[in-house]
Amino acid sequence: MGVIVLADVRTTTEQEIVAEWAASSYPGVDVRRLGEVDFAALDPETMLVPARVVWLPPVRKGERRVALADAIVLSNPRRPPAFRQQAIRRLGQDRVRVVEGVPATVADLGARYGTQQAEGESFASFVGMQASLSAERAELELVGTRYKVPRLVAEQISSSARFQAAAAQLAADLGRSASSVAQEATEKMGTFVATQSRLVQDVFTSTFSGLYERAWTVSADLDTLGRLRTLNKSNSLVFLPSHRSYVDTLILASVLHDHDFPQNLVLGGDNLAFWPMGSIARRAGTIFIRRKFGSDPVYKFAMRSYLSFIVEKHFNLEWYIEGGRSRTGKLRPPMLGLLAYVADAVEALDDGDVMLVPTSIVYDQLPEIAAMARESAGGAKTPEDLKWLFKYARAQREYRGEARVRFGEPISLRTALDEAGTGRARLEKVAFRVMDEINAATPISATSLAGFALLGAEDRAYTAREIEEILAPLLTYIDARKLPGPDPSLCRGLGLLTTLSELTDAGVLDTFDGGPEQVWSIAPDNHAVAAYYRNGALHHFVDRAIVELGMLALADGKPTPSDGLLAAGQAEALRTRDLLKFEFFFPPKEEFLHRLGQEMDLISADWRTRRPTVEWVYDTLFASAGMLLARRSLQTFFDAQYVVATHLAKLGSVDVDKDTVLADCLGLGRQLAMQGLVKMDSVSRELYDAAYRLADNQGAIAGESDDAVQAARRAWLDDVQELRSRLTRLAAIEAEQAAANRREDNR
């Protein structure tokens, strides 16, 4: 059996280096460049050994990495020009290595060619591609997994038998020729395939990290990262982060890079593909895609083919399942399109699977919140361009606290799909499970709790002592629930003053110190900004808030208690959950009710054996007054629903235009907020949009008849008014308890 070394080389110097290596490793064998072999003339048992020269950067600060200076002088130490290679070889022998790919016989390659390659592709081209890929994998073992990048992507995809067969099927559906569809799909693939470069990857990481390094200290959960790194050895990871800032991608990339993960391929909107960022980011692993492409079947086919390739080749992916940055601080509804494509890819492969990694990224302070709040209140979105980028970069020069990266429990996509059953809601169930895990992993910041306290039952100023009194029982609750809370020292004493000072410096709060005690309040027109910080933690408190509302329902005799407190309150709790389902992500019914039982355990240890009398309900709520969360957690959302429900109920016609309704509600909401009838932070297009979707879900937008629609609108308004009334009563209980505490303190 003969042996031939296939030299995957670019220059004469590289050919000499491989020849010297082969003379030592395989004495007497032929060394030939790719493309110089007549495979038809070879014995089928001839062994082909791919080999490649790897050029390493010099050691800088203990690590081999390309520097920005290399890019400025148009030099790539990983791919030096021919005229510099001899000098590097002579002066820096440690920078020159030869790697060997996995050998294969001509017969083995012929068998693979018959099953994998599309008709019309030559055997020589197939062998050349396989040799390059094998050498690439060997190079990866040398340079490290963080530099795992897909190469020859378009060539591999478009030349595969699977791609050609799928293109032919689509062509038949469209009434076109298979060749024209395949060509168009390949061309469209070229608009979004990430052409990664290790040079750009290094420079991108070192240069654009400046967009966040001065602004935030980044922390991550090291234990979870260790488990993910082990999991990544045998599985592709799909990171699905929450999306609050343009720097989310950079911060997550830095965390993964520092812990030796291969760089993710990041799916992003083509609105950020402007020059020069677009070409740089694409070479650093960003896949820019159209925001909407449902009406272009060939584009969909190209995207599906690309994602199938990524899944099959075990590259890591990342995209923002919310589709865009949160405008309210809460998670937005998941977008299912990309998840559907990855699910198709997994199910199309016999043993295909990926591990979904729910990822939470939160910030102590975020300067872009003010702009997003203005957009949510009806303002125009600033277009992203080079001028915008420079302005954004300048805004990151001030220190803004900590950025925390946390990971939820990884989810096998194949298993999750099997458990979700069939039907249209299948992907939605998987996505909601991801969102629930993101929420569970999201840490509560001190700035979130400060916003929670100041956006209280009354729109007024608070002293530090009053804020501390609000937060003390909340910290106790966080500890009892074992929630990922903040450092308690930042919520009391000098630490609290520091937190309030940071929010004041950021313009979120106003302060007055001309009296005996310094007081803080929400700065004018910044209620939505304060609410953004608060909302990032609210999902941790929603179950407790629903329990509190349910207890008042029991006191009202709704529903009639017959089989114990939990059974009596289940219907009311589920009704409240139904009204909030477009605002928060809830687990399946049984798990949700189980969580409510755990919340009741914290409120009253003996509730399971108690008869829920009116007196018992009020005594229990009064005893828990310092830890009542419903008013501060849910008032904003029921206020927003009240505005939309009131507007719809007053319309004489059932024929409505959504954009018109939302615009009218912004005006009505501002009026009611100025009158003190709703909270100022409820005036939000995002919240009204969620309320509109709820109205549609309840038949208050369109239905079997005009009468049915009008009845649904009135019923919804009645429900919202009832819940707002209960929130007012809970506020009264809190105020009564606070007054009693003050009287006790004054004795």
Side-chain angles (χ1 to χ4, degrees):
M1 178 180 68
V3 176
I4 295 176
V5 172
L6 295 179
D8 183 13
V9 296
R10 298 178 296 116
T11 67
T12 302
T13 299
E14 290 183 352
Q15 175 105 9
E16 293 173 358
I17 294 171
V18 172
E20 292 178 8
W21 168 84
S24 173
S25 301
Y26 295 93
V29 305
D30 286 343
V31 179
R32 304 186 195 177
R33 287 194 182 202
L34 292 178
E36 294 181 350
V37 182
D38 180 6
F39 295 104
L42 296 178
D43 186 309
E45 296 304 312
T46 301
M47 184 68 71
L48 304 178
V49 182
R52 171 185 292 178
V53 177
V54 178
W55 302 91
L56 302 175
V59 176
R60 295 182 173 103
K61 296 181 179 180
E63 184 177 5
R64 292 189 185 275
R65 185 187 293 183
V66 178
L68 178 59
D70 296 314
I72 292 174
V73 299
L74 303 179
S75 172
N76 183 355
R78 297 188 186 278
R79 195 177 175 86
F83 71 86
R84 294 195 59 215
Q85 290 181 354
Q86 286 289 1
I88 294 174
R89 183 183 180 191
R90 184 176 63 257
L91 300 176
Q93 294 184 5
D94 63 315
R95 294 181 55 195
V96 185
R97 309 286 175 83
V98 175
V99 294
E100 174 185 353
V102 177
T105 66
V106 174
D108 289 339
L109 290 166
R112 286 156 56 186
Y113 171 73
T115 59
Q116 296 179 16
Q117 201 67 2
E119 185 177 351
E121 296 292 328
S122 70
F123 180 60
S125 297
F126 175 78
V127 173
M129 183 180 295
Q130 296 302 307
S132 292
L133 292 172
S134 182
E136 181 77 23
R137 286 189 286 269
E139 182 177 350
L140 179 64
E141 293 181 7
L142 173 64
V143 301
T145 57
R146 71 179 60 172
Y147 293 106
K148 179 180 179 180
V149 296
R151 299 186 186 277
L152 306 174
V153 174
E155 294 89 339
Q156 291 182 73
I157 296 173
S158 61
S159 64
S160 70
R162 185 170 61 197
F163 176 89
Q164 296 292 339
Q169 179 62 54
L170 178 59
D173 295 339
L174 298 177
R176 296 173 53 183
S177 68
S179 60
S180 70
V181 170
Q183 181 178 354
E184 182 183 346
T186 302
E187 290 173 353
K188 288 183 174 177
M189 203 182 305
T191 66
F192 53 71
V193 166
T195 55
Q196 283 180 292
S197 158
R198 288 171 185 152
L199 168 67
V200 176
Q201 183 175 323
D202 280 345
V203 173
F204 189 88
T205 300
S206 61
T207 302
F208 288 95
S209 62
L211 276 177
Y212 69 85
E213 285 183 338
R214 287 174 294 183
W216 294 282
T217 302
V218 179
S219 70
D221 181 353
L222 299 183
D223 290 340
T224 306
L225 278 169
R227 290 194 293 117
L228 288 175
R229 191 164 49 246
T230 300
L231 191 64
N232 202 188
K233 293 178 181 178
S234 55
N235 297 272
S236 294
L237 303 181
V238 176
F239 291 88
L240 299 174
S242 58
H243 197 14
R244 289 179 169 83
S245 171
Y246 288 113
V247 299
D248 288 340
T249 298
L250 298 175
I251 284 179
L252 178 58
S254 73
V255 168
L256 298 178
H257 179 275
D258 291 346
H259 293 86
D260 204 30
F261 283 79
Q263 183 154 345
N264 295 341
L265 291 169
V266 182
L267 292 152
D270 59 3
N271 61 306
L272 293 176
F274 56 85
W275 183 90
M277 280 296 300
S279 58
I280 295 173
R282 186 175 285 112
R283 286 170 174 78
T286 300
I287 304 165
F288 290 112
I289 60 175
R290 298 179 191 170
R291 287 291 186 177
K292 297 181 180 179
F293 50 86
S295 60
D296 188 340
V298 178
Y299 191 95
K300 290 174 66 175
F301 166 60
M303 177 58 65
R304 185 180 289 111
S305 299
Y306 183 36
L307 292 178
S308 295
F309 167 83
I310 290 170
V311 170
E312 185 175 18
K313 300 303 180 182
H314 289 177
F315 291 100
N316 288 352
L317 268 173
E318 172 189 335
W319 77 82
Y320 295 90
I321 194 169
E322 298 169 87
R325 292 172 302 154
S326 169
R327 264 61 178 174
T328 63
K330 299 188 297 85
L331 292 180
R332 302 177 76 177
M335 306 294 284
L336 304 181
L338 292 174
L339 184 62
Y341 288 152
V342 174
D344 287 347
V346 164
E347 295 187 309
L349 302 170
D350 290 338
D351 58 348
D353 196 9
V354 298
M355 299 300 295
L356 307 179
V357 184
T359 305
S360 170
I361 307 174
V362 296
Y363 305 83
D364 282 346
Q365 293 183 55
L366 196 58
E368 58 207 80
I369 291 177
M372 290 189 288
R374 286 194 298 271
E375 293 170 25
S376 185
K381 184 177 185 293
T382 303
E384 293 92 353
D385 53 22
L386 195 58
K387 179 181 178 182
W388 165 87
L389 177 62
F390 285 132
K391 184 177 180 181
Y392 185 83
R394 285 198 302 270
Q396 315 310 317
R397 293 176 178 176
E398 297 179 15
Y399 182 67
R400 302 183 185 277
E402 192 172 3
R404 299 172 181 83
V405 182
R406 302 291 184 268
F407 305 96
E409 193 64 29
I411 301 168
S412 161
L413 179 55
R414 180 175 288 276
T415 301
L417 290 169
D418 290 342
E419 293 174 351
T422 59
R424 295 178 60 185
R426 185 182 184 215
L427 271 180
E428 191 173 77
K429 291 178 181 178
V430 176
F432 273 42
R433 183 173 169 187
V434 170
M435 307 307 270
D436 196 40
E437 282 291 336
I438 293 175
N439 273 337
T442 298
I444 302 168
S445 67
T447 49
S448 289
L449 294 186
F452 187 88
L454 285 157
L455 288 166
E458 300 174 61
D459 189 7
R460 64 174 180 85
Y462 291 80
T463 66
R465 180 177 57 82
E466 288 176 318
I467 296 172
E468 190 169 333
E469 288 175 354
I470 294 170
L471 296 186
L474 190 56
L475 291 172
T476 301
Y477 172 77
I478 289 171
D479 185 61
R481 282 274 315 278
K482 295 181 171 53
L483 298 176
D487 181 348
S489 67
L490 295 175
C491 299
R492 62 170 71 104
L494 291 176
L496 176 60
L497 292 177
T498 299
T499 299
L500 296 174
S501 176
E502 290 173 352
L503 289 173
T504 303
D505 292 342
V508 182
L509 304 181
D510 271 349
T511 185
F512 175 76
D513 58 4
E517 288 188 85
Q518 187 175 9
V519 294
W520 287 264
S521 62
I522 307 300
D525 299 325
N526 265 351
H527 288 75
V529 178
Y532 189 103
Y533 288 112
R534 176 203 62 194
N535 292 350
L538 278 189
H539 56 274
H540 289 299
F541 310 140
V542 170
D543 290 348
R544 168 65 174 244
I546 290 176
V547 166
E548 293 169 12
L549 289 172
M551 292 181 68
L552 278 183
L554 290 173
D556 293 341
K558 294 182 177 182
T560 303
S562 56
D563 300 317
L565 185 60
L566 180 59
Q570 282 184 350
E572 184 65 21
L574 292 171
R575 182 173 77 100
T576 306
R577 182 181 80 153
D578 198 49
L579 289 171
L580 295 168
K581 65 184 178 183
F582 290 99
E583 294 292 356
F584 300 98
F585 298 97
F586 295 102
K589 175 182 173 181
E590 293 304 318
E591 183 181 346
F592 171 70
L593 294 176
H594 174 69
R595 290 184 183 180
L596 298 193
Q598 292 178 318
E599 293 292 344
M600 278 302 306
D601 287 338
L602 295 177
I603 294 174
S604 174
D606 62 348
W607 67 271
R608 298 175 191 275
T609 59
R610 280 280 188 176
R611 181 172 175 271
T613 63
V614 173
E615 292 76 13
W616 179 85
V617 168
Y618 276 100
D619 287 346
T620 303
L621 289 174
F622 191 82
S624 304
M627 207 180 291
L628 295 179
L629 305 180
R631 172 76 166 184
R632 284 185 164 84
S633 298
L634 301 181
Q635 184 74 57
T636 296
F637 306 101
F638 285 126
D639 279 357
Q641 289 188 25
Y642 173 73
V643 169
V644 179
T646 298
H647 179 66
L648 289 175
K650 290 181 178 179
L651 287 178
S653 171
V654 296
D655 296 325
V656 298
D657 173 72
K658 181 178 179 179
D659 288 337
T660 302
V661 168
L662 296 184
D664 290 344
C665 286
L666 283 170
L668 175 60
R670 290 191 188 99
Q671 173 197 317
L672 296 179
M674 293 175 70
Q675 293 176 284
L677 299 177
V678 299
K679 289 176 64 62
M680 190 67 71
D681 57 285
S682 70
V683 183
S684 162
R685 185 182 177 88
E686 293 276 323
L687 298 183
Y688 295 155
D689 183 84
Y692 185 95
R693 286 184 281 120
L694 174 63
D696 193 23
N697 179 260
Q698 295 202 339
I701 300 298
E704 296 180 357
S705 67
D706 289 358
D707 288 344
V709 172
Q710 296 288 10
R713 292 175 181 177
R714 290 191 296 270
W716 178 36
L717 179 57
D718 289 343
D719 286 343
V720 173
Q721 287 177 319
E722 183 177 46
L723 287 166
R724 291 177 78 238
S725 173
R726 289 178 188 157
L727 290 172
T728 300
R729 288 156 61 194
L730 286 170
I733 292 173
E734 290 183 87
E736 185 180 348
Q737 177 63 52
N741 290 341
R742 285 194 294 271
R743 289 194 297 271
E744 184 68 27
D745 292 340
N746 292 332
R747 287 182 181 177

